[in-house]
Amino acid sequence: MVTTGLVAIDSTILATAVPTIVRELGGFSSFPWLFSLYLLTQAVSVPIYSKLADTWGRKPVVLIGIALFGLGSLLCGFAWSMPALIAFRAVQGLGAGAVQPMAVTIAGDIYTVAERAKVQGYIASVWGISSVVGPTLGGVFSLFSWRWIFFVNIPLCLLAAWLLWRRLHEDIERRQHRIDWAGGALLTASVSLLILGILEGGNEWAWVSVPSVAVLGVGLVLLGVFLVVEQRADEPVLPLRLLSRRLLATTAAISVGVGVVLIGLTSYIPSFLEAILGVTPLQSGLTLALLTIGWPIAASQSGRLYLRRGFRFTALLGTAIVVVGCVALLVAAKHPSLWAVGGACLVVGLGMGLTASPTLIAAQSSVEWGERGVVTGANMFARSMGSAVGVAVMGAIVNAALRGVDGDTHPAALQVAVRDALVAVLVVAVLMIVAALAMPRDHAQSAA
């Protein structure tokens, strides 16, 4: 839970401080990279860490992740420009790529399927606590120095590392493994180019231009090469055979949607409220916090539901609630108020709690220990990729709607741009229902 808190607090504390950071360092059009590059390095490193965890054990991998996250946080605190801050966020992302999936995998190792819902509720409650603590600290730090937003991670990293070093004990069967470094490199390069093309298209260069076609084209070619390499690798970093299982494919698709919806709301709701309503970072952050308060409340109760009605029913109910919340947010964006936006965020959070945790537990319960790290990593990778691509797409949508206008000084234009982004979020939420409908009715059969 402490380890999860590193990523949870960082994600909730930064969103509320973006306007303050932009005012000091500049670069409003570049600020999506604060999230995008972090999420990119997190996403592409998750499969590698997950494979290493099934080889070396969870403990050394999560400790490496904590060390990288702490180093990245320290560097971010000393950043002197927006490009430097973005680059140091990439280091943070490399650490988060180990921290978040390993915490969930360790819980999957220790507890039974029946126990995991309650345990996942405890872990999800960290996000709920962070959703209050993070925005509060973000608002307070924004008053005198946003740099403490990153420095506050250092003592948490030390505490998490000490607890894991003292308390986590594993019995690992040592075997020879071949790490798929070629696959990892191709995945990193292809996804990086695709995100670059999506985020900068229509911003730094026209969509129909030589740079755009070159970046996106090379990214797609490398992605194709990656798929070929993974089919031939002895121990692929992202085993594509897992996606041939219906349960794992559908839960991964839902996880992509969770990442898109989550990043779409956390990236733009605070800036939207601060620009349109003139509220403080603390107020906007606490409004957004209702999303991550609803999440653990629903997640902690989801076990009773999926043990009685099944994972598929629980996921369908959760995704339907997410759609309702997204519709409410779209209405609230047209006639904004803190209460309306906060209520809609709470509904989305409740839906997420009934969607994210049960689908992850369904995927974990379908495999043995030797594949659990990879399966958990694949699910987390899907969510991270959803967030990474989602923030790039949302950034492209918002920048296209602003048409070169500074959203921080033109609130009316920002209101229209954010509404466009929320429409995209709603479309993704509807697709999550489609993926939930495609889940097998009996997850035990799909695992055979």
Side-chain angles (χ1 to χ4, degrees), residues 246-247 250-251 254 305-320 354-355 358-359 362 432-443:
R246 186 175 165 191
L247 174 67
T250 51
T251 53
I254 292 172
L305 189 59
Y306 69 63
L307 288 175
R308 292 177 58 187
R309 302 296 301 273
F311 290 114
R312 181 177 181 270
F313 176 85
T314 307
L316 277 171
L317 178 61
T319 51
L354 292 176
T355 302
T359 52
M432 288 169 62
I433 294 183
V434 175
L437 283 168
M439 288 179 65
R441 293 182 181 275
D442 184 355
H443 76 279

Side-chain angles (χ1 to χ4, degrees), residues 116-446:
R116 282 178 208 161
K118 184 179 291 186
V119 173
Q120 292 288 359
Y122 292 150
I123 294 177
S125 71
V126 174
W127 291 87
I129 295 169
S130 300
S131 67
V132 177
V133 174
T136 302
L137 291 176
V140 171
F141 291 151
S142 295
L143 296 177
F144 59 93
S145 177
W146 57 265
R147 299 179 186 277
W148 282 98
I149 286 172
F150 300 104
F151 290 147
V152 75
N153 291 329
I154 306 303
L156 290 176
C157 286
L158 295 174
L159 175 61
W162 181 78
L163 287 172
L164 285 165
W165 182 266
R166 291 288 303 274
R167 300 296 181 183
L168 180 60
H169 306 288
E170 295 180 302
D171 293 322
I172 308 300
E173 180 184 348
R174 300 295 179 183
R175 294 183 293 132
Q176 282 294 111
H177 292 272
R178 297 184 63 182
I179 304 300
D180 181 20
W181 297 113
L186 285 168
L187 180 64
T188 302
S190 60
V191 174
S192 300
L193 288 172
L194 291 174
I195 296 246
L196 174 64
I198 293 171
L199 195 58
E200 297 300 341
N203 186 26
E204 289 297 320
W205 52 67
W207 283 107
V208 183
S209 64
V210 173
S212 182
V213 172
V215 170
L216 293 174
V218 174
L220 289 172
V221 169
L222 290 179
L223 184 61
V225 175
F226 165 75
L227 296 176
V228 172
V229 168
E230 293 303 275
Q231 290 176 343
R232 298 179 178 178
D234 293 332
E235 297 187 43
V237 69
L238 189 64
L240 301 179
R241 61 181 173 79
L242 294 178
L243 298 181
S244 65
R245 303 180 191 177
R246 186 175 165 191
L247 174 67
L248 299 182
T250 51
T251 53
I254 292 172
S255 193
V256 170
V258 169
V260 174
V261 172
L262 186 61
I263 198 65
L265 301 186
T266 56
S267 296
Y268 289 102
I269 291 297
S271 296
F272 172 77
L273 292 175
E274 291 170 37
I276 303 300
L277 299 180
V279 300
T280 65
L282 179 59
Q283 290 173 308
S284 67
L286 291 176
T287 303
L288 180 65
L290 290 171
L291 188 153
T292 39
I293 289 175
W295 190 320
I297 291 174
S300 63
Q301 302 302 312
S302 65
R304 298 179 183 180
L305 189 59
Y306 69 63
L307 288 175
R308 292 177 58 187
R309 302 296 301 273
F311 290 114
R312 181 177 181 270
F313 176 85
T314 307
L316 277 171
L317 178 61
T319 51
I321 294 173
V322 171
V323 169
V324 171
C326 289
V327 171
L329 267 175
L330 197 56
V331 174
K334 192 171 184 180
H335 307 286
S337 74
L338 285 178
W339 289 107
V341 173
C345 285
L346 178 62
V347 173
V348 173
L350 291 171
M352 288 291 200
L354 292 176
T355 302
S357 296
T359 52
L360 174 59
I361 293 170
Q364 286 183 330
S365 63
S366 69
V367 297
E368 299 299 328
W369 188 94
E371 288 186 318
R372 190 171 296 137
V374 170
V375 167
T376 304
N379 194 278
M380 293 287 100
F381 171 75
R383 185 186 301 185
S384 297
M385 282 306 304
S387 294
V389 175
V391 75
V393 171
M394 299 301 165
I397 291 172
V398 170
N399 286 335
L402 290 175
R403 298 177 181 176
V405 174
D406 189 348
D408 197 37
T409 56
H410 293 77
L414 180 62
Q415 184 174 12
V416 174
V418 171
R419 282 211 309 267
D420 290 347
L422 290 177
V423 170
V425 170
L426 175 60
V427 171
V428 171
V430 172
L431 293 176
M432 288 169 62
I433 294 183
V434 175
L437 283 168
M439 288 179 65
R441 293 182 181 275
D442 184 355
H443 76 279
Q445 293 178 0
S446 70

